[in-house]
Amino acid sequence: DAGVTQSPTHLIKTRGQQVTLRCSPKSGHDTVSWYQQALGQGPQFIFQYYEEEERQRGNFPDRFSGHQFPNYSSELNVNALLLGDSALYLCASSLAAGPRGGYTFGSGTRLTVV
Amino acid sequence: RKEVEQDPGPFNVPEGATVAFNCTYSNSASQSFFWYRQDCRKEPKLLMSVYSSGNEDGRFTAQLNRASQYISLLIRDSKLSDSATYLCVVRLNTNAGKSTFGDGTTLTVKP
């Protein structure tokens, strides 16, 4: 049973560039949430996708956008990268109609902006 | 004030010790509660859900006090492998919407 798959695992970008991160949810899961985790902090909610629509959004600027595809996989796009965007980006999948349960996380994409 | 607050620690305990972590949350309408474990430079992994009546999973016991908006995690007979950061997580809805994470409490279990 495949877990959550994220790609790439590491990425180095230059300030001002754009980046796309990808996520395939756990088999059977239909909801994808994206989180940003800076060093020494807990994961911060970026947004959640369900049925190909953004269901909820955290306090992140419009430079952060996403998409969910019919196969439930998802992309996170960040435009005009800032040094402060350097972080671990985590994708979490869950089942919307399932019992009260938590997330399954991917191993993350470590983004460094230089 | 943060939505979910935890004592960052670190907690340094000997093997076999009992250790307790606390967490408070600000939104009284929150419905779902969890503890996650995160090893260094790894992804968080669900440790256990927290139910109103309290629940136990082996050496781990979680408690919820809705009146005080307080969650706890007790680890008995600590093992070296318990060394990690423990994240308290709160969700407004039962199944949908964002989960809010605390910044975590770091535990180091020493021989």
Side-chain angles (χ1 to χ4, degrees):
Chain A
D1 181 22
V4 179
T5 304
Q6 288 188 246
S7 64
T9 55
H10 295 82
L11 203 52
I12 299 175
K13 288 287 192 178
T14 302
R15 191 171 47 183
Q17 284 188 314
Q18 179 264 344
V19 67
T20 297
L21 311 182
R22 296 178 175 84
C23 172
S24 293
K26 181 178 177 179
S27 177
H29 284 183
D30 56 9
T31 301
V32 173
S33 304
W34 286 92
Y35 283 80
Q36 179 195 67
Q37 187 174 25
L39 204 60
Q41 296 182 17
Q44 299 296 308
F45 179 77
I46 303 174
F47 39 54
Q48 184 178 87
Y49 278 86
Y50 172 67
E51 292 188 335
E52 302 179 52
E53 290 191 359
E54 184 182 287
R55 180 157 67 180
Q56 192 171 4
R57 187 180 184 90
N59 295 324
F60 279 79
D62 292 344
R63 298 187 296 110
F64 289 76
S65 63
H67 190 77
Q68 186 179 35
F69 300 94
N71 67 352
Y72 308 118
S73 67
S74 177
E75 287 182 350
L76 164 65
N77 300 293
V78 187
N79 294 324
L81 284 166
L82 304 174
L83 297 179
D85 295 332
S86 296
L88 179 66
Y89 288 84
L90 293 161
C91 170
S93 76
S94 54
L95 183 59
R100 185 181 304 196
Y103 291 141
T104 300
F105 279 93
S107 54
T109 295
R110 195 164 296 280
L111 174 64
T112 302
V113 182
V114 297
Chain B
R1 182 189 172 190
K2 289 191 173 184
E3 293 180 62
V4 179
E5 295 205 58
Q6 297 183 246
D7 179 348
F11 285 66
N12 297 305
V13 303
E15 269 186 295
T18 296
V19 61
F21 305 139
N22 303 319
C23 166
T24 57
Y25 60 95
S26 61
N27 192 333
S28 60
S30 298
Q31 296 293 324
S32 301
F33 310 90
F34 309 91
W35 284 101
Y36 281 73
R37 169 200 169 118
Q38 187 171 28
D39 294 297
C40 188
R41 300 184 72 81
K42 298 283 191 179
E43 75 274 20
K45 292 187 177 177
L46 180 64
L47 180 65
M48 58 196 302
S49 301
V50 186
Y51 302 117
S52 297
S53 55
N55 48 297
E56 187 174 305
D57 183 2
R59 299 181 292 109
F60 299 84
T61 300
Q63 297 277 353
L64 169 63
N65 184 322
R66 286 187 183 271
S68 301
Q69 295 175 212
Y70 170 97
I71 307 162
S72 66
L73 177 68
L74 182 78
I75 305 176
R76 292 183 300 279
D77 189 22
S78 298
K79 311 291 185 191
L80 296 177
S81 57
D82 293 334
S83 298
T85 296
Y86 290 83
L87 299 162
C88 174
V89 183
V90 173
R91 189 165 68 204
L92 193 61
N93 299 313
T94 54
N95 287 324
K98 76 172 187 177
S99 290
T100 301
F101 285 72
D103 286 336
T105 298
T106 300
L107 170 67
T108 301
V109 181
K110 298 179 182 279

